[in-house]
Amino acid sequence: PCEFHHVGVHGKLARETIAAAPNDDAFQLAVGAAKSATIDGRSVVIARRDLTGEVGYELIVREEDAPFVWEFLLATDHVVSGDKRRVRPIGWHAFNMARVEAGEALFNIDFGPTNLPHQVGELLPRRVSFTKGCYLGQEIVERVRSRGHANRALVNLLVPGDVVPAPKSKLSYGNREVGEI
């Protein structure tokens, strides 16, 4: 079986970086759309996913091609930004901070299979169709919508200071538990 890697390209120069890789100055991709391309002779699928508050793309590439695509993307730096270093790896921690600050929740990180769609806050209208035909769980989804709200919801939390609570930390108001990080 073929294994795949995901390589994310996010930020102000993401479109230019992706356009430089397959040498396609006219490269455009709508949010939520995907298309096939070739980068350094390797096949990739490019999906537009604006997860950090900036333009973003997710490249899906075969495992054995990932190092070549990665190096090729880093090498687009001179094309995209001249002598200034602009295309650089940031790692999961920086990506995750930008994603959280942008209010983009990820499945199996911020919510999972035990949550109802109504519990994902602002994602509901962008990710759930109430006019689509039958689907698994539709009755429950519609029942919660028609009754007004879910008992829990994913929300942004602004924490003052430099100390960030650990994941799964409990939030209290007075003596009452009101949530979880």
Side-chain angles (χ1 to χ4, degrees):
C2 186
E3 297 291 324
F4 292 90
H5 280 269
H6 291 236
V7 177
V9 179
H10 300 273
K12 293 183 187 333
L13 297 173
R15 192 205 67 79
E16 290 82 354
T17 301
I18 295 296
N23 198 19
D24 178 6
D25 291 335
F27 177 83
Q28 291 291 338
L29 199 57
V31 175
K35 72 179 188 178
S36 297
T38 302
I39 296 178
D40 194 28
R42 278 124 174 121
S43 295
V44 299
V45 173
I46 303 171
R48 173 85 181 266
R49 298 188 68 207
D50 298 351
L51 297 175
T52 63
E54 297 281 350
V55 173
Y57 301 93
E58 184 114 350
L59 282 68
I60 303 163
V61 58
R62 290 177 24 185
E63 181 177 33
E64 61 269 18
D65 294 338
F68 300 100
V69 171
W70 174 262
E71 290 300 325
F72 199 85
L73 287 168
L74 291 177
T76 65
D77 192 50
H78 75 283
V79 175
V80 172
S81 56
D83 293 331
K84 296 179 182 177
R85 183 150 167 76
R86 295 290 187 94
V87 178
R88 60 188 177 276
I90 62 166
W92 169 253
H93 186 71
F95 166 78
N96 200 42
M97 284 193 314
R99 173 192 70 77
V100 169
E101 288 176 1
E104 288 293 334
L106 286 180
F107 185 71
N108 278 340
I109 294 176
D110 303 305
F111 64 96
T114 61
N115 295 102
L116 292 169
H118 305 79
Q119 295 174 323
V120 296
E122 297 175 11
L123 289 176
L124 182 67
R126 296 190 337 232
R127 306 268 171 94
V128 176
S129 171
F130 290 101
T131 59
K132 183 179 177 181
C134 295
Y135 55 88
L136 187 62
Q138 179 186 16
E139 288 181 31
I140 297 296
V141 169
E142 177 53 32
R143 189 176 307 141
V144 173
R145 185 185 72 80
S146 67
R147 294 195 177 160
H149 71 281
N151 291 334
R152 299 176 56 161
L154 180 66
V155 297
N156 290 330
L157 175 66
L158 180 59
V159 179
D162 295 334
V163 179
V164 178
K168 306 292 181 194
S169 296
K170 303 298 181 194
L171 297 172
S172 299
Y173 182 75
N175 292 331
R176 187 171 158 230
E177 185 178 305
V178 295
E180 178 180 295
I181 299 291

